[in-house]
Amino acid sequence: MISIKVPPLGESIVEATVGRWLKQEGDAVARGEPIVELETDKVNVEVPAPNAGVLTKQLRKTGDVVAVDEAIAEFDETARETGSGRVPAAGGRAEAAAAVAAPARSATAGAAPSQPAAAPRGDVKTSPAVRRMAAEDGIDVSTVAGTGRDGRVTKTDMVNARQATGEPRAAAAPPAPLTAPSAPTPQAPSPVPPPASRIPHPASRAVEERETREQMSTRRKRIAEHLLEAQHATAHLTTFNEVDMSAVMALRARLKERVEKEHGVKLTFMPFFVKAASLALKTYPVINAQVDGDAIIYKHYINMGIAVASDQGLVVPVIRDADRKGMIQVSREMAEVAQRARAGKLTMDDLTGGTFTITNGGVFGSLVSTPILNFPQSGILGLHKIQERPVAIDGKVEIRPMMYIALSYDHRIVEGQHAVLFLVRVKELMEDPASMLIE
């Protein structure tokens, strides 16, 4: 018997949340097969089986917070699915369930009182949902025949038990003893009412129907803490500008089919902004720097973080040395990390080391916003929806596809002048994309 422990989760990560058990107690597991999935503030980590064997016990439940190197399960390397007696075969489970269910069926059908009833079991394996159903219906779970793995009582078993008794709450009352025929009584005895504690209060039911309380995941809690830290630890300020997207849209329309055919990647607007932001950061390197105590650390490389929305929350995978890569390579790497992000397969290397971030709320329809710094970075560029608007061009009003862009920055080290000039430089490069080729 060995203990399955929480593995090292990455730099500065000391705890995780048990996301879901991929194997249940008694399940046979192959070597390297994942047993449980742990959630951290950055990535989900699957914990594999060290060898072939059987998962004998889950020490922590789904939703529990666990620390690195903490034991979360017990594993038997000597046991196997068959031949060890720990995990009965499917036929054996069915026969055992039928044997337990037979007395209950015969008692329901009105068999002779000499027929033995199902003996209550002391160690009934159930889920919280099953226990809740039992409490609401007044049914003793230990008297219900379980058809799940290892005799586990399932929700289907509870539904069948409810249907078999007819009146769920009356099932808790013992049956009346058989007696000799006697004169009819004026009134039939009424069933024993369930205890008052089992009857939900009408007001409680109304609240439960209108509200749902859900515990924050580890990732959501860390995101919340990270955003609060960014607000409290920096002198947060945002400046805005707008970009005429006509030239970039025309260039992309001309090249996108060729790029997809020759290189197998879709050419979006994001690689243009990555290139423009990289060039502007080289002109104003303080926006690519960060504060460390009473010192400023200047980064002579640009690791561009790209915010990606996933089912688990916002993540920011990093394109390393983005200033040294062409748009095709940036497009390919962005597609790969975005796919891994949505599949929950990002690694710690994908998420660490960023020096500047770009977030695009325009894909969701945002017209303008003030992005929050990805602390300890000193700058984040926010992109927004492209919208046709009337603008003055050479003294004439024309309809152009315009986009608002926003730079949030740490005013402790970034002067307002540098922030404004940075956005102006991005605007110039995007409105004349050919100039990016000669930089």
Side-chain angles (χ1 to χ4, degrees):
M1 193 79 65
I2 62 173
S3 294
I4 304 297
K5 298 184 178 181
V6 179
L9 301 171
E11 182 181 0
S12 75
I13 300 179
V14 297
E15 66 179 19
T17 300
V18 178
R20 58 183 177 130
W21 285 98
L22 306 175
K23 297 294 180 180
Q24 302 301 321
E25 293 180 357
D27 284 357
V29 187
R31 178 184 176 89
E33 191 174 5
I35 295 176
V36 62
E37 185 179 77
L38 303 178
E39 298 177 355
T40 73
D41 58 327
K42 296 183 180 296
V43 295
N44 290 355
V45 179
E46 292 182 346
V47 181
N51 288 303
V54 170
L55 179 64
T56 57
K57 189 175 183 180
Q58 297 174 354
L59 301 179
R60 303 305 296 266
K61 299 179 296 184
T62 298
D64 286 354
V65 176
V66 293
V68 172
D69 205 36
E70 178 181 343
I72 55 176
E74 292 181 354
F75 188 80
D76 192 348
E77 296 178 298
T78 63
R80 294 292 183 270
E81 186 174 9
T82 58
S84 65
R86 292 184 179 274
V87 186
R93 288 197 301 272
E95 293 172 3
V100 175
R105 288 197 301 269
S106 61
T108 304
S114 59
Q115 179 103 10
R121 296 163 295 160
D123 55 343
V124 182
K125 298 179 179 179
T126 61
S127 66
V130 170
R131 291 194 293 271
R132 183 168 58 252
M133 292 176 65
E136 291 175 354
D137 296 334
I139 297 176
D140 186 355
V141 180
S142 64
T143 63
V144 179
T147 60
R149 184 182 295 276
D150 299 335
R152 184 184 297 272
V153 177
T154 66
K155 295 175 70 173
T156 302
D157 298 331
M158 293 300 300
V159 173
N160 293 337
R162 179 189 300 169
Q163 294 173 350
T165 56
E167 291 292 336
R169 297 187 182 279
L178 296 177
T179 59
S182 59
T185 58
Q187 184 177 0
S190 59
V192 179
S197 60
R198 292 180 181 172
I199 304 177
H201 192 276
S204 300
R205 288 201 301 267
V207 171
E208 291 176 359
E209 292 173 357
R210 292 169 62 86
E211 297 179 358
T212 300
R213 186 179 182 86
E214 180 178 313
Q215 189 69 22
M216 275 191 181
S217 66
T218 297
R219 178 174 297 177
R220 175 52 55 190
K221 287 189 290 187
R222 294 297 178 270
I223 289 174
E225 293 170 0
H226 191 68
L227 294 177
L228 285 175
E229 184 181 17
Q231 289 280 25
H232 295 160
T234 65
H236 200 278
L237 196 61
T238 305
T239 187
F240 302 89
N241 211 317
E242 62 179 353
V243 176
D244 183 349
M245 298 290 290
S246 301
V248 169
M249 292 178 70
L251 179 61
R252 175 177 174 268
R254 188 168 72 250
L255 296 178
K256 64 178 182 179
E257 291 185 4
R258 174 182 169 186
V259 169
E260 187 169 359
K261 181 179 179 181
E262 295 181 359
H263 301 278
V265 295
K266 293 184 178 180
L267 184 61
T268 65
F269 294 118
M270 184 61 77
F272 291 93
F273 279 103
V274 170
K275 184 68 174 178
S278 297
L279 294 173
L281 288 173
K282 286 187 174 182
T283 305
Y284 304 101
V286 69
I287 303 177
N288 195 51
Q290 72 179 58
V291 177
D292 183 17
D294 58 356
I296 301 175
I297 301 177
Y298 289 90
K299 309 294 180 69
H300 304 297
Y301 55 91
I302 298 173
N303 290 346
M304 191 69 69
I306 309 295
V308 177
S310 68
D311 293 339
Q312 292 77 31
L314 187 71
V315 291
V316 187
V318 175
I319 306 297
R320 299 183 182 278
D321 296 318
D323 54 318
R324 303 179 184 178
K325 296 175 180 177
M327 291 188 189
I328 302 301
Q329 188 174 357
V330 169
S331 297
R332 183 176 292 109
E333 292 188 19
M334 283 176 50
E336 292 172 355
V337 296
Q339 183 178 4
R340 292 201 299 273
R342 296 187 178 98
K345 301 297 183 183
L346 289 173
T347 65
M348 291 302 300
D349 287 341
D350 292 327
L351 299 169
T352 56
T355 62
F356 186 82
T357 297
I358 299 179
T359 179
N360 185 8
V363 295
F364 304 109
S366 172
L367 185 60
V368 66
S369 66
T370 56
I372 297 179
L373 288 172
N374 186 12
F375 188 78
Q377 296 174 18
S378 298
I380 179 171
L381 178 66
L383 311 181
H384 301 92
K385 178 182 178 181
I386 300 174
Q387 187 179 57
E388 290 190 342
R389 294 197 297 271
V391 293
I393 305 294
D394 296 329
K396 299 179 181 179
V397 176
E398 297 185 14
I399 304 298
R400 295 290 183 96
M402 306 298 292
M403 175 194 286
Y404 288 119
I405 58 176
L407 176 71
S408 292
Y409 57 97
D410 189 347
H411 206 0
R412 294 179 299 169
I413 62 172
V414 180
E415 298 292 342
Q417 175 189 5
H418 293 156
V420 171
L421 291 176
F422 171 88
L423 278 189
V424 169
R425 184 61 178 148
V426 171
K427 171 185 172 68
E428 292 172 349
L429 292 169
M430 291 298 295
E431 292 181 345
D432 185 13
S435 63
M436 288 191 258
L437 301 177
I438 60 176
E439 291 289 340

